[in-house]
Amino acid sequence: MNASELKGHALRQFLMDQGVLLAFIALLIFLSFVAPHFVSSNNFFSILTDAAPLVLLALSELMVMLVAGIDLSVGAVAGLTGALAATMMLLGFPWPLALFLALLAATLAGLLQGAIINYLHITDFIATLAGLSIFSSLTLIVTNGEPLNINDNGFNAIGESHILGIPDQVWIAGLMVILVALFLGLSASGAYLYAIGGNRVAAYRAGIRVRRLRSLAYAFSGFSAGLAGVIFAAQLATADPNAGRGDELPAIAAVVIGGVYLFGGRGTVWGALIGALLLSTILDGLVLLNISPFYTELVEGVVILLAVMLGYLKKRGTV
Amino acid sequence: MKSADMAGERAGQAPLLSLRGIGKRFGAVQALRDIDLDIWPGEVLALLGDNGAGKSTLVKIIAGAQAPSTGTMHFNHKAVRQFDPRYARDLGIETLYQDLAVAENLDVAANIFLGRERKRRLLGIFPILARREMRKQSALALQKLAIELPLRQPVGELSGGQRQAVAIARAAYWQAKLVIMDEPTAAIGVGEHSAILHLIQTLAASGVAVILITHTMPDVWQVASRITVLTRGEKALDGNPENLDENTVVKAMLVGKGVAA
């Protein structure tokens, strides 16, 4: 390949990569025309606030997909985290302690699955499917199947208050996005995640501790899913036993839309973020346009297919 | 024995790698039996043998990917007791596998430095990757071997020969003392074939010992300074290519011990 070919390749790559961003902007413009409430009723942050939990779940999936894994348990872990936090607050724990312990539990849930996958060699899909079952059931056991009210104003503020005019939820998701971007872009461990996803055996032979890093990716996935669960609970001032149920699919869809490669080694935080924003806004748009919720998953499915086909064309176009 | 004669020829110089009585058993299968082998710096040892003869098992032991069931290994005057790829690499043993030497989604510099990244401190605190420095060093390393490669392109978009060149540059940059190459010319075109052979010679001329696994007989006589044949897990032949012809070698591969060299 000569230099000019390379340049064209980079330009096309950029346009393809930003295709999702362009789609997102087009969607915003479209919605502001057809749904008057979309712009007027809320400020710019309402889009971001709605998207915050999905962004966090997308970060979970990004991290495990980079190492050629998948995590089906993120929704269940989110639900369990909210339930645990609420239960502990009902038992009289101060909210920061309850928050810390619940997030610790979420991280351990992820780490446990990661260890099972990488040290006992159980397929990611099966191990986290089992996790999905187990954590959903634990949530029902902990909550006794009833929504738990959260009366602690300190905790509920996470879903209501603002810092410098920006909602707390947006701060949380935004900081996580920045931290993950810095980690993946600058640190050696971040580079190792890409190496593992690209060629696991080569990474191992280069002395990278593959199993440990892959397990830690799952621990991160649990942690980030736990944060999403905290936001769910704080938004409603309630730990709903069904919170997070089924949210693994939109999370996976978001990163796939954002160009994260399902089989590892390729994908960016930027892509995952834009994918999550686009999907979240589409789902909001359906509500604004008064479209029956029966169509929600249909639209989700079509968007996933379109995104994957775009990715396929991208691959065929460049290789 | 032959290896003893070879040692005699190099009187005064200790071998870089020295194997004694290496055996490996997988359940009921004896993959390797009582292998003695010495390798000196600057040597290109062609390791030959039919499929299943034990070449890759032997190489995996040397590279630390597997531990032997019996026997001892000395490298650079020291007994090796730990069989771990990371440890072997720290000793100066680099292995270039046929397909798996590189991460296809990373660029050339990232591959050369994979697992041993250069870092700098951000704000004096946070250790971060020194990408520019690594790219510069990679360019120098490639220049030294007279290899021309696009540095920023994912290695997966390079040709087979270019990938091999990346892997060889990686070994050279890290001053490997022993480089093991598994079929380095198997998946590459004719044009690149001779370039890779030339790179092997450049590497050996700089004092690196090379173990070359190959099925391509003409390559052996072109670059090897020694031929070792494994047959059914045993060393069947060990000699100088000048004193051997293809017939003898092939016979040793098929029949095993007892073929007069």
Side-chain angles (χ1 to χ4, degrees), chain A residues 158-188:
Chain A
I158 296 171
E160 291 161 4
S161 66
H162 295 63
I163 299 172
L164 301 175
I166 298 171
D168 286 6
Q169 304 154 59
V170 177
W171 275 109
I172 293 172
L175 284 176
M176 286 293 286
V177 164
I178 292 168
L179 284 177
V180 173
L182 290 175
F183 170 74
L184 290 179
L186 298 179
S187 78

Side-chain angles (χ1 to χ4, degrees), chain A residues 1 6 9 184-188 191-192 194-195 198-199 201-202 204-209 265, chain B residues 85-86 89 97 99-106 114-117 119 128-129 131 153 157 170:
Chain A
M1 252 191 213
L6 264 180
H9 165 97
L184 290 179
L186 298 179
S187 78
Y192 292 166
Y194 283 94
N199 189 332
V201 180
Y204 172 73
R205 286 178 180 151
I208 294 170
R209 297 183 194 283
Chain B
R86 189 183 268 262
R89 200 191 59 188
Y97 293 91
D99 310 313
L100 303 168
V102 291
E104 292 83 359
N105 57 336
L106 304 183
L114 187 60
R116 288 173 288 203
E117 285 74 5
K119 290 174 199 153
I128 64 165
L129 294 175
R131 287 191 199 272
Q153 215 164 334
E157 293 173 14
R170 172 185 163 87

Side-chain angles (χ1 to χ4, degrees), chain B residues 48-56 98 182-183 213-215 230-233 253-254:
Chain B
L48 307 178
D50 208 350
N51 292 332
K55 297 184 305 266
S56 40
Q98 199 174 325
D182 189 359
E183 295 273 2
I213 297 180
T214 182
H215 285 110
L230 290 186
T231 310
R232 293 183 290 279
M253 285 167 65
L254 296 173

Side-chain angles (χ1 to χ4, degrees), chain B residues 98 158-165 183-198 216 219 222:
Chain B
Q98 199 174 325
L158 303 181
S159 72
Q162 287 176 316
R163 284 186 221 194
Q164 274 299 340
E183 295 273 2
T185 57
I188 63 177
V190 182
E192 292 182 319
H193 190 123
S194 60
I196 294 296
L197 292 184
H198 186 71
T216 318
D219 287 3
Q222 203 176 330

Side-chain angles (χ1 to χ4, degrees), chain A:
Chain A
M1 252 191 213
N2 60 38
S4 70
E5 256 178 280
L6 264 180
K7 219 174 201 171
H9 165 97
L11 182 68
R12 187 168 52 189
Q13 185 84 23
F14 178 82
L15 285 178
M16 286 284 207
D17 286 348
Q18 302 316 321
V20 179
L21 176 64
L22 297 178
F24 178 55
I25 293 168
L27 179 70
L28 291 182
I29 294 170
F30 171 73
L31 283 177
S32 63
F33 277 109
V34 296
H37 301 295
F38 183 71
V39 179
S40 58
S41 69
N42 274 311
N43 58 41
F44 166 70
F45 290 120
S46 69
I47 302 166
L48 299 180
T49 309
D50 284 352
L54 185 56
V55 168
L56 290 166
L57 295 177
L59 289 179
S60 294
E61 295 298 347
L62 168 68
M63 208 66 117
V64 295
M65 272 189 202
L66 281 182
V67 294
I70 196 161
D71 191 346
L72 299 179
S73 75
V74 289
V77 169
L80 180 60
T81 309
L84 288 176
T87 307
M88 285 187 277
M89 282 184 277
L90 286 174
L91 291 172
F93 284 51
W95 74 266
L97 181 63
L99 178 70
F100 172 78
L101 289 176
L103 286 175
L104 183 66
T107 310
L108 288 176
L111 183 62
L112 180 67
Q113 296 182 94
I116 287 171
I117 290 161
N118 291 295
Y119 291 95
L120 303 182
H121 306 289
I122 310 291
T123 314
D124 308 68
F125 187 85
I126 298 299
T128 59
L129 187 61
L132 162 66
S133 270
I134 292 168
F135 299 132
S136 302
S137 178
L138 282 178
T139 306
L140 291 172
I141 294 167
V142 169
T143 59
N144 208 14
E146 304 281 344
L148 301 179
N149 283 324
I150 300 172
N151 299 317
D152 193 313
N153 290 330
F155 182 87
N156 290 337
I158 296 171
E160 291 161 4
S161 66
H162 295 63
I163 299 172
L164 301 175
I166 298 171
D168 286 6
Q169 304 154 59
V170 177
W171 275 109
I172 293 172
L175 284 176
M176 286 293 286
V177 164
I178 292 168
L179 284 177
V180 173
L182 290 175
F183 170 74
L184 290 179
L186 298 179
S187 78
S189 302
Y192 292 166
L193 295 184
Y194 283 94
I196 291 169
N199 189 332
R200 192 171 169 165
V201 180
Y204 172 73
R205 286 178 180 151
I208 294 170
R209 297 183 194 283
V210 173
R211 292 195 289 188
R212 184 194 295 182
L213 270 173
R214 287 191 95 239
S215 301
L216 290 175
Y218 279 89
F220 171 85
S221 175
F223 174 74
S224 195
L227 278 179
V230 167
I231 290 178
F232 285 144
Q235 276 173 341
L236 300 171
T238 304
D240 189 305
N242 292 315
R245 189 163 291 243
D247 279 358
E248 55 283 344
L249 287 182
I252 292 166
V255 292
V256 170
I257 291 167
V260 179
Y261 185 52
L262 265 171
F263 304 102
R266 265 171 279 168
T268 60
V269 178
W270 174 243
L273 174 65
I274 295 297
L277 288 177
L278 176 65
L279 187 58
S280 168
T281 309
I282 289 173
L283 299 181
D284 276 5
L286 295 180
V287 176
L288 285 171
L289 297 172
N290 277 325
I291 291 170
S292 155
F294 297 155
Y295 287 88
T296 306
E297 286 174 25
L298 181 117
V299 172
E300 245 175 65
V302 171
V303 173
I304 293 172
L305 274 182
L306 287 176
V308 172
M309 275 153 61
L310 179 74
Y312 172 75
L313 288 176
K314 187 159 46 171
K315 202 163 182 218
R316 207 178 50 171
T318 54
V319 174

